[in-house]
Amino acid sequence: MKSALLWETVANCSTTKARVSKLILPHGTVDTPVFMPVATQASLKGITCQQLMNLGCQIMLNNTYHLGLRPGQALLNEVGGAHKLQSWERNLLTDSGGFQMVSLLTLAEITEQGVQFQSPHDHNSSILLTPEHSIDLQNSIGADIIMQLDDVVSSLTTGPRVEEAMWRSIRWLDRCIKAHKRPHDQNLFAIIQGGLDVELRNTCLKEMIKRDTPGYAIGGLSGGEEKDIFWRIVTQCTDVLPKDKPRYCMGVGYAEDLVVCCALGVDMYDCVYPTRTARFGNALTAQGILNLKKSRFASDFNPIESDCDCLTCKSYTRAYVHLLATRETVGCHLITLHNVAYQLRLMQQIRTAITEDKYPQFVKQFFKTLFKTKDKYPVWAVNALKSVNIDLMIDDD
Amino acid sequence: MPPLLFTLLNNEISLRLGRLSLASKILDTPNCILNTVRGSVLHLTPDNLRLLPFQAVGITLEQFLDVQPPASTKFPGGAHEFFNFQEYLLYVDIHDPAKQIKARVNSDKFISVRTHQGIRQLTLADYLSYMNAYKPDFFAAFSDSLIQKNHGDKRVQKSIDRTLKWLDDTLDRVEEDTNVFGVLGGHGIREERVRSAHETAKRKVAGFLLNVSEIGDTSEERLDLLRTSLSHLPQEKPRLVYGLGTPGDILRAVSEGADLFDTSYPSEMANNGHAFTFKFATDSNASDMTLSMNLWDKSFARDFQPFVPSCECHACQNYTRAYTHHLLIAHEMLANVLLISHNLFVYGRFFERIRNSIKMKTFDEDMRQFLHRYEGQAQIEHSMERDTEPKTKELIIN
């Protein structure tokens, strides 16, 4: 199908499946692998667009479900889309809205037509979200990348429901492609389903690759499944997905997951974790998480991370942030700024290491810094990296 | 600390144009000092703060007194560096100008302060040791401040006696060139206000602090009591006033000779979803008679203009009323960031225009027009009274 993006791979890792590419979208170039912060309701938790630009953010997420409720489709049409609404000149990605309905709403029922759910405002009426509605709403929002409506089942579900969801997701993709009115400036991504079943995943991959969408997401994961199964599904997908298109792993954002999934050949990620955890006073660092609410930081006059060049670390000590963490909005803003800076810097380091073809060395150093000793390394990560020729248990000379 | 210098740039008794300076830091008056909460300006990260026209910041000590000594006093670089206010004139007060506790028990030995974990006691010795660690550019003296509406005469007298004694103790103990603002009292009793002003003025203070937030039922009464104190102060020292914040009150207090104010009002308005729309001393024939707009109002849902189209603040340059309305409805913290950025910017510019208006000798006319536009006829008559006779005599008659 028609595509509104260009994909140029700049470097391939000679050991793993990792790659560095330029994803050229209607609102500018995105360097991948990329982490996309989540601005659920057209705002990233107290951070201005100018601050995000200063952090080097090239693309962020909005959630279709939330924007559909507030400010609503009519207003989005009137203002000319979400870029204009929030004064964001760079790229946006929207989800289909289906995931939020299934996860936020208890009474969602899925039929062939779409997702039927109770109205959050009026409990006597119900709303039906069809693939056509989702695309129509996403066309109004106007994000540079939009997602198909898929039939989401928990990754812990087994049996015929998984297969039904996979086939339905394919049928819904066809309906989304048909309903999509702006393929010239919005890129519709398919979402690979099939649960944790290798055969179903293969079938879904084959069918969706046939549809030739501008990019692909690996869906139905990050729902509490075993990490050792998670990575196997990811690597199965990246093995088959076309090399000349971006691959997006939805809902992934922990640092070690990003480092492993990049080795498996994933290009794009999003997660609310860095910004959500900031609101609880948690700062992300290369050495692990610091909960700045803890009294041990009251007199700690070091920055959150000494080699971090974010505004928070350049301006304040941990003791100062401790005074504000979870008490004042500024405390939340300062940790959010740091956490987004941390995520974006991690991705920059990943891209640099791949470009210099030193990704295996980078990965080893990353795990050593974060987990200190090998017995603390997550087994799934060790296994996943071994599958792409990095043995974390062997030190380089 | 280097001495805080105050120079009057004009010779008018009540319409004062001044300059506060300390080393290379300058604060032209009339002006305001930014309030902080736990050492941060409400909702503003340091980059957003620096988009605003302010040169002075005030820290409220009681917000750090859950545990004594506060950890920040152990920081070797002093308060400027700890709070990242190096380039600002830094002022410290014990109490929050915006929130005074209702039941404050003070004794000869200590005063009560409100912390996040409840009421604590603070002694003069501890206060001075914290100031020694913080090294602010100036700070409010330790005082027995009264915060209830009604106090007996004896309690008011005692508070002044205590405050003066503590001021003497303070000035004895601190190094020379420590810039202490004497705290004036007297509550609603004129004789005591006069005594407090006279006695404090005799001491070697760098300036005066007058809190009128808890006295008087109306801003007129507060202004009247303020006038009582101000008229007994020497001209050559700055006067900081808490408890007056609306633009009309600021103008009236400026015309009574007040130099410095706090920023409780613009902050509170922002927290309530209001963006300032008032203009002072401009050519514009603004027909809008409102001081602010309430962004919660549904009528802004489809209004794609900035708060004030001609405003140069970060929020108005980048965002619309409709977006802020959306952020408020969606309970997004960015709404507060945009509203406070705008209100503080407008407030800072308001003081700039006041100074300019005094300089151009158009203040009285500008104020009359402002009050006419925003407050209507009744208020103007009241405010015009001030010029009819010299204020210095007025009190003695009372």
Coordinates of all heavy atoms in Angstrom, one line a residue, chain A residues 41-43 45-51 67 70-71 74-75 78-79 85-87 279 298-299 301 311 315-317 319-320 323-324 327-330 332-334 337, chain B residues 37-48 64 66 71 74-76 81-84 116-117 301-302 304 314 318-320 323 326-327 329-330 332-334 337-338:
Chain A
Q41 N -2.7 12.6 26.6 CA -3.8 13.5 26.3 C -3.3 14.8 25.7 O -3.7 15.9 26.0 CB -4.5 13.9 27.6 CG -4.9 12.7 28.4 CD -5.9 13.0 29.6 OE1 -7.1 13.1 29.4 NE2 -5.4 13.3 30.7
A42 N -2.3 14.6 24.7 CA -1.7 15.7 24.0 C -0.9 16.6 24.9 O -0.8 17.8 24.7 CB -2.8 16.5 23.2
S43 N -0.2 16.0 25.9 CA 0.7 16.7 26.8 C 1.5 15.7 27.5 O 1.0 14.8 28.1 CB -0.2 17.6 27.8 OG 0.5 17.7 29.0
K45 N 2.9 15.2 30.6 CA 3.1 15.4 32.0 C 3.9 16.6 32.4 O 4.9 16.5 33.1 CB 3.7 14.1 32.6 CG 2.9 12.8 32.3 CD 1.5 12.9 32.8 CE 0.6 11.9 32.1 NZ -0.9 12.3 32.1
G46 N 3.3 17.8 32.1 CA 3.9 19.0 32.6 C 5.1 19.6 31.8 O 5.6 20.6 32.1
I47 N 5.5 18.8 30.8 CA 6.7 19.2 30.0 C 6.2 19.9 28.7 O 5.3 19.5 28.1 CB 7.5 18.0 29.6 CG1 7.9 17.2 30.8 CG2 8.7 18.3 28.8 CD1 8.6 17.9 31.9
T48 N 6.8 21.1 28.4 CA 6.4 21.8 27.2 C 7.0 21.2 26.0 O 8.0 20.5 26.1 CB 6.8 23.3 27.3 OG1 8.2 23.4 27.3 CG2 6.3 24.0 28.6
C49 N 6.4 21.5 24.8 CA 7.0 21.1 23.6 C 8.4 21.6 23.4 O 9.3 20.8 22.8 CB 6.1 21.5 22.4 SG 4.5 20.7 22.3
Q50 N 8.7 22.8 23.8 CA 10.0 23.3 23.7 C 11.0 22.5 24.5 O 12.2 22.3 24.1 CB 10.0 24.8 24.1 CG 9.3 25.7 23.2 CD 7.8 25.5 23.1 OE1 7.2 25.0 24.1 NE2 7.2 25.7 22.0
Q51 N 10.6 22.1 25.7 CA 11.5 21.3 26.5 C 11.8 20.0 25.9 O 12.9 19.5 25.9 CB 10.9 21.1 27.9 CG 10.9 22.4 28.8 CD 10.3 22.2 30.1 OE1 9.2 21.7 30.2 NE2 11.0 22.7 31.2
L67 N -7.9 11.2 23.2 CA -8.2 12.4 22.4 C -9.6 12.4 21.8 O -10.2 13.4 21.6 CB -7.1 12.6 21.3 CG -5.7 12.9 21.8 CD1 -4.9 13.4 20.6 CD2 -5.7 14.0 22.8
R70 N -11.6 13.6 24.8 CA -11.3 15.0 25.1 C -10.0 15.3 24.3 O -9.0 14.6 24.4 CB -11.0 15.2 26.6 CG -12.1 15.0 27.5 CD -11.8 15.4 28.9 NE -10.7 14.5 29.5 CZ -10.8 14.0 30.7 NH1 -11.9 14.2 31.4 NH2 -9.8 13.2 31.1
P71 N -10.0 16.3 23.5 CA -11.1 17.3 23.2 C -12.2 16.8 22.3 O -13.1 17.6 22.0 CB -10.3 18.5 22.6 CG -9.2 17.8 21.9 CD -8.8 16.6 22.7
A74 N -14.6 16.5 16.7 CA -15.1 17.7 16.1 C -14.0 18.8 16.3 O -13.7 19.5 15.4 CB -16.4 18.1 16.6
L75 N -13.5 18.9 17.5 CA -12.6 20.0 17.8 C -11.2 19.7 17.1 O -10.6 20.6 16.6 CB -12.3 20.1 19.3 CG -11.4 21.3 19.6 CD1 -12.1 22.2 20.6 CD2 -10.0 20.9 20.0
E78 N -11.6 20.8 13.7 CA -11.6 22.3 13.6 C -10.2 22.9 13.7 O -9.8 23.8 13.0 CB -12.5 22.8 14.7 CG -13.1 24.2 14.5 CD -14.0 24.6 15.6 OE1 -14.7 23.7 16.1 OE2 -14.0 25.8 15.9
V79 N -9.4 22.4 14.7 CA -8.1 22.9 14.9 C -7.1 22.5 13.9 O -6.1 23.1 13.6 CB -7.6 22.7 16.3 CG1 -7.2 21.2 16.5 CG2 -6.4 23.5 16.7
L85 N -3.0 21.3 17.8 CA -3.6 21.4 19.2 C -2.6 21.7 20.2 O -2.7 22.5 21.0 CB -4.4 20.2 19.5 CG -5.0 20.1 20.9 CD1 -6.2 21.1 21.1 CD2 -5.4 18.7 21.3
Q86 N -1.5 20.8 20.2 CA -0.5 20.9 21.2 C 0.8 21.7 20.8 O 1.8 21.6 21.5 CB -0.1 19.5 21.7 CG 0.5 18.6 20.7 CD 0.3 17.1 21.0 OE1 0.6 16.7 22.1 NE2 -0.1 16.4 20.0
S87 N 0.7 22.3 19.6 CA 1.9 23.1 19.1 C 3.1 22.2 19.0 O 4.2 22.7 19.3 CB 2.2 24.3 20.0 OG 1.0 25.1 20.2
R279 N 6.5 10.3 38.5 CA 5.5 10.9 39.4 C 5.5 10.2 40.8 O 5.0 10.7 41.7 CB 4.1 10.8 38.8 CG 4.1 11.6 37.4 CD 2.7 12.0 37.1 NE 1.8 10.9 36.6 CZ 1.9 10.2 35.5 NH1 2.8 10.6 34.6 NH2 1.1 9.3 35.2
A298 N 18.0 12.8 51.5 CA 17.8 14.2 52.1 C 19.0 15.0 52.1 O 19.0 16.2 51.9 CB 17.2 14.1 53.5
S299 N 20.2 14.4 52.4 CA 21.4 15.2 52.4 C 22.4 14.8 51.4 O 23.6 14.9 51.5 CB 22.1 15.0 53.8 OG 21.2 15.5 54.8
F301 N 24.2 15.4 48.2 CA 24.4 16.6 47.4 C 25.0 16.3 46.0 O 25.6 17.1 45.4 CB 25.3 17.6 48.2 CG 24.6 18.1 49.5 CD1 25.3 18.1 50.7 CD2 23.3 18.5 49.4 CE1 24.7 18.6 51.8 CE2 22.7 18.9 50.6 CZ 23.4 19.0 51.8
L311 N 18.8 19.1 32.3 CA 18.6 20.3 33.1 C 18.6 20.0 34.6 O 19.1 20.7 35.4 CB 17.2 20.9 32.6 CG 16.8 22.2 33.4 CD1 17.7 23.4 32.9 CD2 15.4 22.5 33.2
S315 N 21.3 21.4 37.3 CA 20.8 22.4 38.2 C 20.8 22.0 39.6 O 20.9 22.9 40.5 CB 19.4 22.9 37.7 OG 19.4 23.2 36.4
Y316 N 20.5 20.8 39.9 CA 20.1 20.4 41.3 C 20.8 19.1 41.8 O 21.2 18.3 41.0 CB 18.6 20.2 41.3 CG 17.8 21.4 41.0 CD1 17.0 21.4 39.8 CD2 17.8 22.5 41.8 CE1 16.3 22.5 39.5 CE2 17.0 23.7 41.5 CZ 16.3 23.7 40.3 OH 15.5 24.8 40.0
T317 N 20.8 19.1 43.1 CA 21.3 17.8 43.8 C 20.1 16.9 44.1 O 18.9 17.3 44.0 CB 21.9 18.2 45.2 OG1 20.9 18.8 46.0 CG2 23.0 19.2 45.0
A319 N 19.3 15.9 47.0 CA 18.7 16.5 48.2 C 17.6 17.5 47.8 O 16.6 17.5 48.4 CB 19.8 17.2 49.0
Y320 N 17.9 18.3 46.8 CA 16.9 19.3 46.4 C 15.7 18.6 45.8 O 14.5 18.8 46.1 CB 17.5 20.3 45.4 CG 16.4 21.2 44.8 CD1 16.1 22.4 45.5 CD2 15.7 21.0 43.7 CE1 15.2 23.3 45.1 CE2 14.8 21.9 43.2 CZ 14.5 23.0 43.9 OH 13.6 23.9 43.4
L323 N 13.3 17.1 48.3 CA 12.4 18.0 48.9 C 11.1 18.1 48.1 O 10.0 18.4 48.7 CB 13.0 19.4 49.0 CG 14.1 19.7 50.0 CD1 14.6 21.1 49.7 CD2 13.5 19.7 51.4
L324 N 11.2 17.9 46.8 CA 10.0 18.2 46.0 C 9.3 16.9 45.5 O 8.1 17.0 45.1 CB 10.4 19.0 44.8 CG 11.1 20.4 45.0 CD1 11.6 21.0 43.8 CD2 10.1 21.3 45.7
R327 N 5.7 15.8 46.0 CA 5.0 16.8 46.8 C 4.6 18.0 46.0 O 3.6 18.6 46.2 CB 5.9 17.3 47.9 CG 6.0 16.3 49.1 CD 6.6 17.1 50.3 NE 6.6 16.2 51.5 CZ 7.7 15.9 52.2 NH1 8.9 16.4 51.8 NH2 7.6 15.2 53.2
E328 N 5.5 18.4 45.1 CA 5.3 19.6 44.3 C 5.3 19.1 42.8 O 6.1 18.3 42.4 CB 6.3 20.6 44.5 CG 6.2 21.3 45.9 CD 4.9 22.0 46.1 OE1 4.4 22.6 45.1 OE2 4.3 21.9 47.2
T329 N 4.5 19.8 42.0 CA 4.6 19.5 40.5 C 6.0 19.6 40.0 O 6.4 18.8 39.1 CB 3.6 20.3 39.7 OG1 4.0 21.7 39.9 CG2 2.2 20.1 40.1
V330 N 6.7 20.6 40.5 CA 8.1 20.8 39.9 C 8.9 19.6 40.2 O 9.8 19.2 39.3 CB 8.7 22.1 40.5 CG1 10.2 22.2 40.0 CG2 8.0 23.3 40.2
C332 N 8.0 16.5 40.1 CA 7.6 15.6 39.1 C 8.2 16.0 37.7 O 8.7 15.2 37.0 CB 6.1 15.5 39.1 SG 5.4 14.8 37.6
H333 N 8.1 17.3 37.4 CA 8.6 17.8 36.2 C 10.1 17.5 36.1 O 10.7 17.1 35.0 CB 8.4 19.3 36.0 CG 7.0 19.7 36.1 ND1 5.9 18.9 35.8 CD2 6.4 20.9 36.4 CE1 4.8 19.5 36.0 NE2 5.1 20.8 36.3
L334 N 10.9 17.8 37.2 CA 12.3 17.6 37.1 C 12.7 16.2 36.9 O 13.6 15.9 36.2 CB 12.9 18.1 38.5 CG 12.9 19.6 38.7 CD1 13.4 20.0 40.1 CD2 13.7 20.4 37.6
L337 N 11.8 15.2 33.3 CA 12.8 15.7 32.4 C 14.0 14.8 32.4 O 14.6 14.4 31.3 CB 13.2 17.1 32.7 CG 12.3 18.3 32.3 CD1 12.9 19.6 32.9 CD2 12.2 18.3 30.8
Chain B
V37 N 7.7 27.5 46.7 CA 7.2 26.4 47.6 C 8.3 25.4 47.7 O 8.8 24.8 46.7 CB 5.9 25.8 47.0 CG1 5.4 24.8 48.0 CG2 4.9 26.9 46.8
R38 N 8.8 25.1 48.9 CA 9.9 24.2 49.1 C 11.1 24.5 48.2 O 11.7 23.6 47.6 CB 9.5 22.8 49.0 CG 8.5 22.3 50.1 CD 8.0 20.9 49.9 NE 9.0 19.9 50.5 CZ 9.1 19.6 51.7 NH1 8.3 20.2 52.6 NH2 9.9 18.7 52.1
G39 N 11.3 25.8 48.0 CA 12.5 26.2 47.2 C 12.3 26.2 45.7 O 13.3 26.3 45.0
S40 N 11.1 26.0 45.2 CA 10.9 26.0 43.8 C 9.7 27.0 43.5 O 8.8 27.1 44.3 CB 10.5 24.7 43.3 OG 9.2 24.3 43.7
V41 N 9.8 27.7 42.4 CA 8.7 28.5 42.0 C 7.6 27.6 41.5 O 7.9 26.8 40.6 CB 9.2 29.6 40.9 CG1 8.0 30.4 40.4 CG2 10.2 30.5 41.5
L42 N 6.4 27.8 42.0 CA 5.3 26.9 41.7 C 5.2 26.5 40.2 O 5.1 27.4 39.4 CB 4.0 27.6 42.2 CG 2.8 26.7 42.5 CD1 3.1 25.8 43.7 CD2 1.6 27.6 42.8
H43 N 5.2 25.2 39.9 CA 5.1 24.6 38.6 C 6.2 24.9 37.6 O 6.2 24.4 36.5 CB 3.7 25.1 38.0 CG 2.5 24.9 38.8 ND1 2.2 23.7 39.4 CD2 1.6 25.8 39.2 CE1 1.1 23.8 40.1 NE2 0.7 25.1 40.0
L44 N 7.2 25.7 38.0 CA 8.2 26.1 37.0 C 9.6 25.4 37.2 O 10.2 25.6 38.3 CB 8.3 27.6 37.0 CG 7.1 28.4 36.6 CD1 7.4 29.9 36.6 CD2 6.7 27.9 35.2
T45 N 10.0 24.7 36.2 CA 11.4 24.2 36.1 C 12.3 25.4 35.9 O 11.8 26.4 35.4 CB 11.5 23.1 35.1 OG1 10.9 23.6 33.9 CG2 10.8 21.9 35.5
P46 N 13.6 25.3 36.1 CA 14.4 26.5 36.1 C 14.5 27.1 34.7 O 14.7 28.3 34.6 CB 15.8 26.0 36.5 CG 15.7 24.5 36.4 CD 14.3 24.1 36.6
D47 N 14.4 26.3 33.6 CA 14.4 26.9 32.3 C 13.2 27.7 32.0 O 13.3 28.8 31.5 CB 14.5 25.8 31.2 CG 13.5 24.7 31.4 OD1 12.9 24.5 32.5 OD2 13.3 23.9 30.4
N48 N 12.0 27.2 32.4 CA 10.8 28.0 32.3 C 10.8 29.3 33.1 O 10.3 30.3 32.7 CB 9.6 27.2 32.5 CG 9.3 26.2 31.4 OD1 9.7 26.4 30.3 ND2 8.7 25.0 31.8
F64 N 11.0 23.9 55.3 CA 12.1 23.0 55.4 C 12.3 22.5 56.8 O 13.3 21.8 57.1 CB 13.4 23.6 54.9 CG 13.3 24.2 53.5 CD1 13.4 25.5 53.3 CD2 13.0 23.4 52.4 CE1 13.3 26.1 52.1 CE2 12.9 24.0 51.2 CZ 13.0 25.3 51.0
D66 N 10.7 20.5 58.9 CA 10.1 19.2 59.4 C 11.2 18.6 60.3 O 10.9 18.0 61.3 CB 9.9 18.2 58.3 CG 9.2 18.8 57.0 OD1 8.8 19.9 57.1 OD2 9.1 18.0 56.0
A71 N 18.3 19.8 56.0 CA 19.4 19.3 55.2 C 20.1 20.4 54.4 O 21.3 20.4 54.2 CB 19.0 18.1 54.4
K74 N 23.1 22.2 55.4 CA 24.4 21.5 55.4 C 25.1 21.6 54.1 O 26.3 21.2 53.9 CB 24.2 20.0 55.8 CG 23.7 19.9 57.2 CD 23.5 18.4 57.5 CE 22.3 18.2 58.4 NZ 21.6 16.9 58.2
F75 N 24.4 22.1 53.1 CA 25.0 22.2 51.8 C 26.1 23.3 51.8 O 25.8 24.4 52.2 CB 23.9 22.6 50.7 CG 24.4 22.6 49.3 CD1 24.7 21.5 48.6 CD2 24.5 23.9 48.7 CE1 25.2 21.5 47.3 CE2 25.0 23.9 47.4 CZ 25.3 22.8 46.7
P76 N 27.3 22.9 51.4 CA 28.4 23.9 51.5 C 28.3 25.2 50.7 O 28.8 26.2 51.1 CB 29.6 23.1 51.1 CG 29.1 21.8 50.4 CD 27.7 21.6 50.9
E81 N 23.1 28.5 45.6 CA 23.6 27.4 44.8 C 22.6 26.2 45.0 O 22.3 25.5 44.1 CB 25.0 27.0 45.1 CG 25.6 26.1 44.1 CD 27.1 25.7 44.5 OE1 27.8 26.6 45.0 OE2 27.5 24.6 44.2
F82 N 22.3 25.9 46.3 CA 21.4 24.7 46.6 C 20.1 24.8 45.8 O 19.7 23.9 45.2 CB 21.1 24.6 48.1 CG 20.3 23.4 48.4 CD1 20.9 22.1 48.4 CD2 19.0 23.5 48.6 CE1 20.2 21.0 48.7 CE2 18.2 22.3 48.9 CZ 18.8 21.1 48.9
F83 N 19.5 26.0 45.8 CA 18.2 26.2 45.1 C 18.3 26.6 43.7 O 17.3 26.9 43.0 CB 17.3 27.2 45.9 CG 17.0 26.7 47.3 CD1 17.6 27.2 48.4 CD2 16.1 25.6 47.5 CE1 17.2 26.8 49.7 CE2 15.8 25.2 48.7 CZ 16.3 25.7 49.9
N84 N 19.6 26.8 43.2 CA 19.8 27.2 41.8 C 19.3 28.6 41.5 O 18.6 28.8 40.5 CB 19.2 26.1 40.9 CG 19.6 26.4 39.4 OD1 20.6 26.9 39.1 ND2 18.7 26.0 38.5
H116 N 5.5 20.6 56.7 CA 4.7 19.6 56.0 C 4.2 18.5 57.0 O 3.3 17.8 56.8 CB 5.4 18.9 54.8 CG 5.3 19.8 53.6 ND1 4.6 19.5 52.5 CD2 5.9 21.0 53.4 CE1 4.7 20.4 51.6 NE2 5.5 21.4 52.1
Q117 N 5.0 18.4 58.1 CA 4.6 17.4 59.1 C 4.0 18.0 60.3 O 4.1 17.4 61.4 CB 5.8 16.5 59.4 CG 6.2 15.7 58.2 CD 7.5 14.9 58.4 OE1 7.9 14.7 59.6 NE2 8.1 14.5 57.3
A301 N -13.4 26.5 24.8 CA -13.1 25.1 24.2 C -12.7 25.3 22.7 O -11.9 24.5 22.2 CB -14.3 24.2 24.4
R302 N -13.2 26.2 22.0 CA -12.9 26.3 20.6 C -12.3 27.7 20.3 O -12.4 28.2 19.2 CB -14.2 26.2 19.7 CG -15.0 25.0 20.1 CD -16.1 24.7 19.1 NE -15.9 23.5 18.4 CZ -16.0 22.3 18.9 NH1 -16.4 22.2 20.2 NH2 -15.8 21.2 18.2
F304 N -9.1 29.5 19.6 CA -7.7 29.2 19.2 C -6.8 30.4 19.2 O -5.8 30.4 18.5 CB -7.7 28.5 17.9 CG -8.6 27.3 17.8 CD1 -9.8 27.2 17.1 CD2 -8.2 26.2 18.6 CE1 -10.6 26.0 17.1 CE2 -9.0 25.0 18.6 CZ -10.2 25.0 17.9
H314 N 5.9 33.0 27.0 CA 6.1 31.7 26.4 C 4.8 31.0 26.1 O 4.6 30.5 25.0 CB 6.9 30.8 27.3 CG 7.1 29.4 26.8 ND1 7.9 29.1 25.8 CD2 6.5 28.3 27.2 CE1 7.9 27.8 25.5 NE2 7.0 27.3 26.3
N318 N 3.1 30.3 22.1 CA 3.0 29.0 21.6 C 1.7 28.2 21.7 O 1.5 27.3 21.0 CB 4.1 28.1 22.3 CG 5.5 28.6 22.0 OD1 6.0 28.2 20.9 ND2 6.1 29.3 22.8
Y319 N 0.9 28.6 22.7 CA -0.3 27.8 22.9 C -1.6 28.6 22.9 O -1.6 29.9 23.1 CB -0.1 27.1 24.3 CG 1.1 26.2 24.3 CD1 2.3 26.7 24.9 CD2 1.1 24.9 23.8 CE1 3.4 25.9 24.9 CE2 2.2 24.1 23.8 CZ 3.4 24.6 24.4 OH 4.5 23.8 24.4
T320 N -2.7 27.9 22.8 CA -4.0 28.6 22.7 C -4.9 28.4 23.9 O -4.6 27.6 24.8 CB -4.8 28.0 21.5 OG1 -5.1 26.6 21.8 CG2 -4.0 28.1 20.2
Y323 N -6.4 25.0 24.0 CA -5.5 23.9 24.4 C -5.4 23.9 26.0 O -5.5 22.9 26.6 CB -4.1 24.1 23.8 CG -3.0 23.1 24.2 CD1 -3.3 21.7 24.0 CD2 -1.8 23.4 24.8 CE1 -2.4 20.7 24.4 CE2 -0.9 22.5 25.1 CZ -1.2 21.1 24.9 OH -0.2 20.2 25.3
H326 N -8.5 22.5 27.3 CA -8.4 21.0 27.2 C -7.5 20.4 28.3 O -7.9 19.5 29.0 CB -7.8 20.6 25.8 CG -7.2 19.2 25.8 ND1 -8.1 18.1 25.8 CD2 -6.0 18.8 25.7 CE1 -7.3 17.0 25.8 NE2 -6.0 17.4 25.7
L327 N -6.4 21.1 28.6 CA -5.4 20.6 29.6 C -6.1 20.6 31.0 O -5.9 19.7 31.8 CB -4.1 21.4 29.6 CG -3.3 21.3 28.4 CD1 -2.1 22.3 28.5 CD2 -2.7 19.9 28.2
I329 N -9.4 20.5 31.7 CA -10.4 19.5 31.7 C -9.8 18.1 31.9 O -10.3 17.2 32.6 CB -11.3 19.5 30.4 CG1 -11.9 20.9 30.3 CG2 -12.3 18.4 30.4 CD1 -13.1 21.1 31.1
A330 N -8.6 17.9 31.2 CA -8.0 16.6 31.3 C -7.1 16.4 32.5 O -6.4 15.4 32.6 CB -7.2 16.4 30.0
E332 N -4.3 17.9 33.2 CA -2.9 17.8 32.9 C -2.1 18.9 33.5 O -2.5 20.1 33.5 CB -2.8 17.9 31.3 CG -3.1 16.6 30.6 CD -2.1 15.5 30.8 OE1 -0.9 15.8 31.1 OE2 -2.4 14.3 30.7
M333 N -1.0 18.6 34.1 CA -0.2 19.6 34.8 C 0.3 20.7 34.0 O 0.7 21.8 34.5 CB 1.0 18.9 35.5 CG 0.6 18.0 36.6 SD 2.1 17.2 37.3 CE 2.4 15.9 36.1
L334 N 0.4 20.5 32.7 CA 0.9 21.5 31.8 C 0.0 22.8 31.8 O 0.5 23.9 31.6 CB 1.0 21.0 30.4 CG 1.7 21.9 29.4 CD1 3.2 22.3 29.8 CD2 1.7 21.3 28.0
V337 N 1.4 25.0 34.3 CA 2.7 25.6 33.9 C 2.4 26.7 32.9 O 3.0 27.8 33.1 CB 3.5 24.5 33.1 CG1 4.8 25.1 32.5 CG2 3.9 23.3 34.0
L338 N 1.5 26.6 32.0 CA 1.2 27.7 31.1 C 0.6 28.9 31.8 O 0.9 30.0 31.5 CB 0.3 27.1 29.9 CG 0.9 26.0 29.1 CD1 -0.1 25.6 28.0 CD2 2.2 26.3 28.5

